[in-house]
Amino acid sequence: MDLGTRNAGFQEDKSEEPTAQITKFDSEEKSDAMSLKLDTVEEYNQIKPYAGMPKEVLLLYSSQARYKVPREILFWLTVACTLALVALTITVIALSPRCLSWWQMSPVYQIYPRSFKDSDGDGVGDLKGILEQLDHFDYLNIKAVWISPFYRSPMKDFGYDVEDFRDIDPLFGTMQDFEELLAEMHKRDLKLIMDFIPNHTSDKHRWFNLSRSGDPQYRDYYVWTDCNASNPKPNNWVSIFGNSSWSYDKVRGQCYYHQFLKEQPDLNLRNPHVRKEISDLIHFWLEKGVDGFRMDAVKHIFEAEHLRDEPQVDPDKPPEEITTEWDLHHDYTTTQVGLHDLLREWRAEMDIYSREPGRYRFLVTESYDYHEIEKTMMYYSTPLVKEGDFPFNFYLLDLPQNTSGLWAKHLIDLWMSNMPNGQWANWVVGNHDRLRIGTSAGPSFIRTINMMLLSLPGTVTTYYGEEIGMQNINITQDQVQDPAGRYNVSLSRDPQRSPMQWSDDMNAGFNPKTNLTWLPIHPDYKTVNVEAQMNDASSVLAQYRYLNILRESEMPLHRGWFCHVHADARVFSYLRELDGLSRAFLVVLNFDNEPAVTDLSSIMELPSQVNVLVSTVHTNKGKSMPKSQIQTEAGEGLLIQFSSNMKFNHNHKEQCYISEKACYLEAMGILYKC
């Protein structure tokens, strides 16, 4: 039986076998054996490799030049490639621009919890209601949600008068409800930003009760001064809600200071114990896992210790007629020395929790500085000291005052030209304190304003309902809920706080269980609701969603140059481009009530013929037109995508802004510093 194939060069070891048992070779095999003894290397050079050869044979082969040289070449080539890859990786990392954080990649969506979704049928929105609607944020591609206050509160100012900073008001649910909401949001990669109120508490807060009773530890937790019980006005300072900002407390026999309602006494943040209390509260919520804070009313945190009268705007006005905040220059009650030092202390506390990758803790400040924009810009961080990620930009709230291309350009340029280099812009057109943009500017401009917001550089803040074009409701005197409205119905903030319109069902789907709503539903809810607009490709909601997804996917829109190229009484137009990337975008916005034709033939970087990618008039999507005659209907916005290797910012630096300059290597798909 043939048990295997015999190799002609194989020789059995004669030292291990008896001589008598040595197999006799034929003459040819004897010759091969003699050759093996005389010149082993030469013999093995003639043997072909075979499976299972002994290591001695393998080593003889490996020492031959034809095997050794290629092996060494491959080895050194591998070393060289590895070093080259390491060097390339280090270079790419060194040259790569900073990655955008979560608060830069998505709009921040503001929820007013009383009005978002009612889960238990009492007519008031709650935390479980928010949990039920988290799919809405997935649909919109929203990554960050800011929820207005839900702390335990007497609700004199609907949560901004906090009785206990460490508890949830039963109206909104329980701490367990909050923790479930936060856990589910994090599962969906959603970030939660809490409202934080450092300036004041409720007069029901334990600290205030101990302070008014003279407890030695809490005596100076609030701002107290001697005053006349019959005329409690130590000076002419006035409250945001009107009339004197001082109230007499008969228990303590002194006046306490409140920049808002008398039920909202101001904390004395010059007291180190109070500062420690606030820091502990920040740690409490960060330990819970919240992703950031919106710091409320920060410019009011300090007041001058000397308590002098503030100068009147009209020096000739009788002092007894000074009743509103607009009657005084607030030199002693806002933006005092030490404010920014305190905010930087809190920022440092938050940074302790930002060390884990992907868990950066965000800080935004609220300060209505109106025409004093330089004060607002001070809330940004500096190259040496970190403070807020950005202050809210409220200047676009003035857009309805003069809906024109020139006015829109002015308001945008006002922020961009004053913003410190390297900082990140943001845009606000409405919130719980201000009229909805759909009412103040008019419903015909809702789509165009949304297009503008989602194509500008920076972070958009979307107040709930703006994505479907909700408008203010009309409020009668007997329907007023807002304390400011009770003082003066024209100052009521109720109209912009009406319940969210989810469907055309009972109560617009806000409360489908009972016929209760804390404020009336807008009568247009049958058509202006989420469910209806999800099924309409031409709706406000569909456009918002498309633009938001496009913004995230297109680098020119979320981190490229912003260059204004045209503005007149009707139209405002700008470019979004990124150096090295041929794809760019042109935005043309008509803020007038008449059609317009815009000539951009002087913009050499534009192709002669342009095509509309998105129009707020759905039928104009895909339309082609020459750049010398870009037509827009009344209130129409156009987003035009084009290709060009010429960049407008290279020759027009004075018209362009960018947060952090970057270039794109299109051949390799690499973004790098340049």
Side-chain angles (χ1 to χ4, degrees), residues 404-407 409 566-573 589 596-598:
S404 72
L406 287 169
W407 183 240
K409 174 185 176 296
H566 177 85
D568 59 28
R570 294 180 177 178
V571 172
F572 176 46
S573 183
L589 307 170
V597 177
T598 305

Side-chain angles (χ1 to χ4, degrees), residues 13-281:
D13 190 346
K14 293 193 279 186
S15 65
E16 296 181 1
E17 296 290 339
T19 305
Q21 295 181 359
I22 297 177
T23 305
K24 292 183 179 181
F25 300 109
D26 58 24
S27 60
E28 197 174 75
E29 289 174 327
K30 288 178 181 178
S31 175
D32 289 342
M34 291 298 292
S35 298
L36 182 61
K37 291 177 181 179
L38 294 173
D39 190 351
T40 304
V41 174
E42 182 181 349
E43 163 33 280
Y44 280 126
N45 285 343
Q46 298 173 6
I47 300 173
K48 294 181 179 179
Y50 60 92
M53 70 173 67
K55 64 180 180 181
E56 292 84 359
V57 178
L58 184 61
L59 288 171
L60 286 172
Y61 271 101
S62 65
S63 64
Q64 294 178 25
R66 61 175 174 169
Y67 294 106
K68 183 178 180 181
V69 173
R71 186 172 68 250
E72 290 185 356
I73 291 173
L74 287 173
F75 172 76
W76 290 112
L77 186 60
T78 302
V79 171
C81 288
T82 302
L83 292 174
L85 285 173
V86 170
L88 179 61
T89 301
I90 294 172
T91 302
V92 169
I93 292 173
L95 294 179
S96 293
R98 178 181 56 85
C99 293
L100 296 183
S101 188
W102 57 264
W103 52 272
Q104 298 172 304
M105 290 299 295
S106 162
V108 173
Y109 188 101
Q110 182 192 356
I111 291 176
Y112 194 67
R114 297 179 67 93
S115 301
F116 195 63
K117 184 67 165 66
D118 176 18
S119 71
D120 57 12
D122 65 355
V124 179
D126 46 49
L127 296 178
K128 284 187 175 180
I130 298 172
L131 181 64
E132 291 176 0
Q133 299 298 330
L134 292 184
D135 286 344
H136 185 58
F137 307 122
D138 292 336
Y139 177 77
L140 291 177
N141 195 39
I142 294 289
K143 306 296 184 186
V145 177
W146 154 34
I147 307 178
S148 293
F150 45 81
Y151 307 102
R152 182 179 288 274
S153 167
M155 295 296 166
K156 295 295 184 180
D157 191 17
F158 296 143
Y160 285 95
D161 52 320
V162 181
E163 182 179 347
D164 187 347
F165 283 99
R166 298 175 188 259
D167 198 9
I168 308 297
D169 195 273
L171 189 67
F172 301 122
T174 65
M175 184 61 77
Q176 183 179 349
D177 293 335
F178 168 77
E179 291 169 350
E180 289 178 1
L181 173 62
L182 182 59
E184 182 59 30
M185 288 180 68
H186 284 169
K187 283 182 185 178
R188 296 168 177 251
D189 199 27
L190 277 167
K191 307 296 185 181
L192 190 152
I193 302 165
M194 282 186 66
D195 231 319
F196 196 81
I197 302 100
N199 179 69
H200 51 266
T201 71
S202 164
D203 62 351
K204 304 298 183 186
H205 197 288
R206 182 178 65 91
W207 299 343
F208 187 73
N209 288 326
L210 290 168
S211 184
R212 70 196 298 225
S213 65
D215 185 289
Q217 181 179 345
Y218 295 92
R219 182 175 181 82
D220 295 325
Y221 263 48
Y222 295 83
V223 181
W224 295 93
T225 191
D226 293 331
C227 65
N228 186 337
S230 60
N231 185 27
K233 288 187 178 182
N235 55 33
N236 70 344
W237 296 358
V238 294
S239 161
I240 299 299
F241 290 113
N243 295 324
S244 175
S245 57
W246 296 95
S247 289
Y248 180 75
D249 180 68
K250 61 182 180 180
V251 174
R252 178 153 168 162
Q254 285 186 306
C255 281
Y256 64 89
Y257 178 59
H258 55 89
Q259 297 205 54
F260 295 88
L261 296 175
K262 65 181 179 63
E263 293 88 359
Q264 294 171 286
D266 273 41
L267 286 164
N268 175 19
L269 282 154
R270 298 187 188 280
N271 184 334
H273 298 292
V274 176
R275 294 163 81 124
K276 179 64 166 55
E277 296 273 18
I278 298 298
S279 293
D280 288 346
L281 292 172

Side-chain angles (χ1 to χ4, degrees), residues 548-590:
N548 190 31
I549 293 173
L550 184 72
R551 177 187 181 274
E552 182 184 36
S553 63
E554 291 289 351
M555 283 189 290
L557 291 176
H558 69 249
R559 70 181 307 155
W561 286 92
F562 163 82
C563 301
H564 53 82
V565 296
H566 177 85
D568 59 28
R570 294 180 177 178
V571 172
F572 176 46
S573 183
Y574 50 89
L575 293 173
R576 299 302 313 277
E577 61 184 22
L578 185 68
D579 291 330
L581 184 63
S582 59
R583 188 169 62 258
F585 295 89
L586 168 69
V587 183
V588 182
L589 307 170
N590 185 346

Side-chain angles (χ1 to χ4, degrees), residues 242-528:
N243 295 324
S244 175
S245 57
W246 296 95
S247 289
Y248 180 75
D249 180 68
K250 61 182 180 180
V251 174
R252 178 153 168 162
Q254 285 186 306
C255 281
Y256 64 89
Y257 178 59
H258 55 89
Q259 297 205 54
F260 295 88
L261 296 175
K262 65 181 179 63
E263 293 88 359
Q264 294 171 286
D266 273 41
L267 286 164
N268 175 19
L269 282 154
R270 298 187 188 280
N271 184 334
H273 298 292
V274 176
R275 294 163 81 124
K276 179 64 166 55
E277 296 273 18
I278 298 298
S279 293
D280 288 346
L281 292 172
I282 290 172
H283 281 272
F284 175 81
W285 289 106
L286 291 177
E287 289 286 348
K288 290 282 185 184
V290 301
D291 300 288
F293 294 111
R294 174 259 193 189
M295 289 289 179
D296 175 70
V298 290
K299 75 176 184 180
H300 300 287
I301 283 176
F302 287 122
E303 53 287 319
E305 293 181 279
H306 53 64
L307 306 185
R308 297 173 190 154
D309 281 354
E310 291 191 307
Q312 296 181 191
V313 172
D314 179 3
D316 298 326
K317 192 170 187 176
E320 62 274 11
E321 295 181 15
I322 303 298
T323 59
T324 74
E325 63 172 321
W326 310 110
D327 292 328
L328 299 173
H329 294 291
H330 299 285
D331 296 345
Y332 306 141
T333 56
T334 64
T335 320
Q336 298 298 293
V337 173
L339 165 62
H340 293 283
D341 291 331
L342 182 56
L343 292 173
R344 290 163 186 167
E345 286 179 23
W346 294 339
R347 172 75 263 181
E349 298 290 337
M350 295 177 65
D351 282 343
I352 296 172
Y353 295 83
S354 298
R355 294 168 183 166
E356 182 183 345
R359 293 304 309 276
Y360 180 79
R361 307 307 171 95
F362 167 73
L363 176 62
V364 57
T365 50
E366 182 217 32
S367 179
Y368 287 93
D369 295 306
Y370 303 103
H371 301 296
E372 300 177 300
I373 190 170
E374 67 282 354
K375 289 185 177 180
T376 304
M377 293 300 164
M378 291 176 68
Y379 294 101
Y380 274 114
S381 298
T382 72
L384 298 178
V385 185
K386 195 168 184 181
E387 193 169 325
D389 292 297
F390 56 68
F392 274 133
N393 172 6
F394 295 122
Y395 290 93
L396 281 182
L397 292 169
D398 293 336
L399 185 63
Q401 292 181 10
N402 178 12
T403 50
S404 72
L406 287 169
W407 183 240
K409 174 185 176 296
H410 164 72
L411 294 176
I412 292 167
D413 185 63
L414 180 66
W415 190 270
M416 300 300 283
S417 61
N418 284 283
M419 185 174 66
N421 290 335
Q423 297 297 335
W424 192 255
N426 78 101
W427 313 97
V428 177
V429 294
N431 59 29
H432 60 290
D433 288 329
R434 303 292 166 168
L435 295 178
R436 288 187 176 275
I437 195 69
T439 296
S440 57
S444 60
F445 293 105
I446 291 173
R447 298 166 188 264
T448 296
I449 291 172
N450 278 345
M451 176 177 283
M452 178 178 70
L453 293 175
L454 291 168
S455 60
L456 286 172
T459 296
V460 181
T461 301
T462 296
Y463 184 49
Y464 80 96
E466 285 178 357
E467 73 275 25
I468 59 173
M470 281 179 61
Q471 299 185 58
N472 284 13
I473 58 172
N474 293 320
I475 290 289
T476 60
Q477 183 67 57
D478 62 329
Q479 293 174 319
V480 171
Q481 301 289 329
D482 182 23
R486 291 170 182 167
Y487 168 72
N488 182 343
V489 68
S490 66
L491 299 177
S492 175
R493 297 165 295 178
D494 292 328
Q496 57 264 28
R497 298 176 177 180
S498 62
M500 178 68 175
Q501 295 160 204
W502 293 106
S503 68
D504 62 358
D505 293 335
M506 181 175 69
N507 299 322
F510 165 73
N511 173 17
K513 297 181 178 180
T514 64
N515 197 24
L516 295 174
T517 58
W518 78 285
L519 283 173
I521 304 290
H522 197 288
D524 69 2
Y525 78 93
K526 288 288 185 180
T527 55
V528 180

